[in-house]
Amino acid sequence: WMDLGRTFAESLMVNRIVKAGRVEDASGPLIEAVKASGKGVVFVSLHTGNWELVVIPTVTNGIKVAGVYQRMKNPKVDDYVALVRRDRYPRGLFVKGADVGKKLLRIVRGGGAIALLADLRDRNGLSVPFFDRPAPSTTFPALLARGSDALLVAARVIRTHGVHFRIEAELLDVPRTDDRNADIDAATHQTHRLFEKWVREYPEQWMWAH
């Protein structure tokens, strides 16, 4: 709960945190290689550390990313949240909805980049082992990457101490066999195996009650 409270407060001052040099980017070489590949890319992350910071390496490397968020019930709060995130998602920040999948697929197929939080419960999704329990999980990131020959990159934010952070990233393997559904399932399993490994390393920093 302490980390959640900190994250909430820090989300109102992300630009100040970055300008103060409080974010160490350990993902730089991978992000540079991703950019140089010329391929579309699907970035996935989880609610750990301060996840609002996770796209900072894309900003500093000139990768224009699109994102998705859940609309807030209070319209003034919703406007403010969209405003403070705008610079981090220069390709667009889309509200979750029935048509958002097609928009994101067009971006990735066109060689663009999107960023998604993927530790999401999806009752209609794939059941994957997560901490030795079956977890109904979204296959959407793997589906986008497999369906558009895009790269799939997992990233995380680690709170090192106080208001100081380190960002790390790993390239995930997306199988491309004759069995499309099996490929999507395999990439989803791989994503959540990595998420579980990361949560085990810093369990106090992961906060996602769903």
Side-chain angles (χ1 to χ4, degrees):
W1 288 106
M2 180 184 292
D3 197 72
L4 181 63
R6 283 178 163 180
T7 299
F8 178 81
E10 292 158 358
S11 297
L12 305 176
M13 54 184 76
V14 167
N15 290 339
R16 288 172 57 187
I17 292 170
V18 174
K19 288 179 181 178
R22 293 172 178 262
V23 181
E24 174 195 354
D25 180 12
S27 69
L30 175 58
I31 301 302
E32 290 175 5
V34 166
K35 184 178 180 181
S37 73
K39 290 188 172 184
V41 57
V42 179
F43 292 101
V44 291
S45 190
L46 68 168
H47 293 81
T48 190
N50 186 326
W51 54 90
E52 292 286 343
L53 297 166
V54 75
V55 295
I56 294 301
T58 66
V59 176
T60 56
N61 282 278
I63 299 176
K64 294 182 178 180
V65 171
V68 179
Y69 82 107
Q70 182 70 50
R71 188 187 296 276
M72 306 292 180
K73 292 182 179 180
N74 184 313
K76 291 186 177 181
V77 174
D78 186 70
D79 288 345
Y80 179 75
V81 168
L83 177 65
V84 298
R85 288 173 171 166
R86 183 177 57 190
D87 292 343
R88 280 169 272 156
Y89 298 91
R91 197 177 286 269
L93 188 60
F94 302 108
V95 177
K96 285 184 180 179
D99 63 337
V100 73
K102 292 180 180 179
K103 293 179 181 178
L104 298 178
L105 185 58
R106 282 197 296 269
I107 290 172
V108 177
R109 282 182 172 171
I114 63 171
L116 304 167
L117 288 166
D119 55 339
L120 303 178
R121 179 182 177 87
D122 181 353
R123 67 181 64 185
N124 297 316
L126 179 68
S127 180
V128 301
F130 193 64
F131 289 92
D132 300 321
R133 292 176 180 269
S137 305
T138 178
T139 60
F140 186 54
L143 184 152
L144 286 174
R146 172 61 176 78
S148 56
D149 194 31
L151 301 175
L152 183 60
V153 178
R156 65 168 170 175
V157 179
I158 301 167
R159 184 185 300 278
T160 54
H161 64 282
V163 191
H164 291 81
F165 308 90
R166 183 171 71 253
I167 299 176
E168 299 178 348
E170 291 190 26
L171 182 65
L172 298 173
D173 177 50
V174 181
R176 290 179 170 85
T177 69
D178 294 334
D179 191 334
R180 175 178 176 273
N181 289 336
D183 294 345
I184 292 170
D185 290 358
T188 303
H189 276 80
Q190 184 185 174
T191 300
H192 285 80
R193 280 196 300 271
L194 179 59
F195 283 178
E196 180 179 328
K197 174 178 176 288
W198 281 351
V199 173
R200 287 184 183 278
E201 291 176 2
Y202 299 95
E204 75 285 359
Q205 295 193 27
W206 186 60
M207 182 62 194
W208 194 231
H210 300 293

